[in-house]
Amino acid sequence: MSSPISQLLSASPIDWQAVLDAVVADFSGATGTLHRVDPTDGLLKIVAHRGIPPQLIPVIGTIPVGKGIAGVAAERREPVELCNLQQDLGGVAKEGARATNVQGSLAVPCLDGEELRGTLGVGLSVPHDFTEEEKERLLALGREVAGKLDAEA
């Protein structure tokens, strides 16, 4: 049986906002972002977002690999988590990230094999230590998204 997210990814064209909304709902999240690596400049470009304050959209619209939570997840090619973004930026989040009112935050790379295609992130409105199962679940969703992201976004 396929998941709702798998079903959304099998549509043509893919509704990336619906995909992100389903991921955010799957994690009972308040916010979410989906970025794609732009092959022309290697920067992460926003494909879809949920719950991000309007004043932050220009800030998160284009992210260099290695900067911010999504950029560090892309650079490390592993999950980047913050238990409480309001209290600790973890050395990776920018000060402006607090404007989201997010507390628990998790970003993962979207990998197609070894190829970085983008990043996927969720934010919760409460402090949260993500379990290994939750990290693996978001990584698996990131891999599923990666296979479609390059061609469709």
Side-chain angles (χ1 to χ4, degrees):
M1 181 156 107
S2 65
S3 74
I5 295 167
S6 296
Q7 291 173 359
L8 289 168
L9 289 170
S10 67
S12 184
I14 294 172
D15 180 346
W16 288 108
Q17 189 63 54
V19 170
L20 180 62
D21 289 347
V23 171
V24 171
D26 188 48
F27 280 83
S28 300
T31 66
T33 58
L34 174 61
H35 287 85
R36 164 187 180 270
V37 174
D38 185 330
T40 62
D41 59 16
L43 297 172
L44 296 167
K45 306 279 176 81
I46 196 80
V47 173
H49 57 85
R50 166 67 52 216
I52 305 297
Q55 70 271 22
L56 288 184
I57 301 305
V59 176
I60 69 161
T62 300
I63 299 175
V65 171
K67 301 292 182 190
I69 300 168
V72 171
E75 179 180 60
R76 295 179 183 170
R77 295 174 185 242
E78 63 185 33
V80 173
E81 153 187 32
L82 294 173
C83 172
N84 190 340
L85 183 60
Q86 298 305 308
Q87 292 181 359
D88 178 12
L89 296 175
V92 295
K94 302 295 179 196
E95 187 64 38
R98 288 191 170 124
T100 62
N101 291 319
V102 163
Q103 294 190 39
S105 178
L106 177 64
V108 299
C110 296
L111 296 170
D112 187 9
E114 295 297 314
E115 191 71 29
L116 178 68
R117 301 286 187 212
T119 60
L120 181 60
V122 294
L124 284 63
S125 58
V126 296
H128 185 72
D129 284 316
F130 289 88
T131 65
E132 287 305 312
E133 185 276 329
E134 288 171 319
K135 291 175 194 176
E136 284 302 318
R137 186 164 41 118
L138 193 58
L139 276 167
L141 289 168
R143 285 189 295 272
E144 197 172 349
V145 164
K148 304 278 188 164
L149 194 55
D150 195 41
E152 292 271 342

